[in-house]
Amino acid sequence: MAKRKGRSKTAYKNFIIEQMMSLGTYKEEYDVLIDTLAETCALRDKNLSEWNKWTKKTGYSMVFPYTNKNGSTNLTPVPFYTNNIKFNDTILKYGKELGLSPLSIKKSMLNGEEDDELDAFLKESSSNDA
């Protein structure tokens, strides 16, 4: 597992806003979503840091043996691993909502062009009717 230097929620928020501004998609109305995405990114980094410490201490990375009440031992996913999957899924969903994925950027550009063509058609039609 690679080491990752964690960022603060504020650093992530600034980074996300900077990315959105460079794409021309930032609006203040998105700040609640941006805050949630930034918090999730910071929590994911903390989870990864704790996971690294736990792996060094125990030697287990993704699964560990767990003995239940009946004495049966099974391999169980490490909670850090399952948390990381959930954090990454959430980050991807919020990233798409905020237009930070290549597919969402492409869709928003296509939608913008379609709206412009429709607006032009409607304006032309209304001017012809007058």
Side-chain angles (χ1 to χ4, degrees):
M1 199 167 13
K3 278 196 168 189
R4 174 192 301 248
K5 185 178 179 189
R7 293 184 188 180
S8 69
K9 177 184 173 184
T10 304
Y12 271 115
K13 182 176 180 177
N14 292 336
F15 179 70
I16 294 163
I17 290 172
E18 180 182 300
Q19 286 182 324
M20 292 179 72
M21 286 181 146
S22 72
L23 293 169
T25 60
Y26 175 73
K27 294 181 182 176
E28 284 185 26
E29 293 85 2
Y30 298 148
D31 282 349
V32 173
L33 292 174
I34 292 168
D35 282 339
T36 304
L37 176 56
E39 179 72 24
T40 304
C41 289
L43 287 171
R44 188 239 356 237
D45 287 353
K46 180 153 180 59
N47 182 68
L48 287 172
S49 174
E50 294 298 318
W51 187 6
N52 281 328
K53 290 177 192 174
W54 189 81
T55 299
K56 285 179 185 175
K57 181 179 172 184
T58 65
Y60 299 111
S61 180
M62 293 172 55
V63 294
F64 67 101
Y66 172 75
T67 305
N68 63 21
K69 293 178 184 178
N70 297 329
S72 298
T73 301
N74 302 304
L75 290 178
T76 303
V78 173
F80 297 111
Y81 171 71
T82 54
N83 286 343
N84 197 56
I85 290 172
K86 290 176 186 176
F87 286 136
N88 285 336
D89 285 344
T90 302
I91 289 167
L92 288 171
K93 288 176 186 173
Y94 276 90
K96 286 178 185 177
E97 284 293 318
L98 292 170
L100 295 173
S101 73
L103 183 59
S104 62
I105 292 168
K106 186 176 179 180
K107 283 182 180 179
S108 70
M109 291 174 85
L110 287 175
N111 288 340
E113 289 173 12
E114 290 171 3
D115 291 344
D116 291 341
E117 290 174 11
L118 178 60
D119 288 341
F121 174 76
L122 292 174
K123 286 178 185 176
E124 185 179 310
S125 295
S126 66
S127 65
N128 288 340
D129 291 339

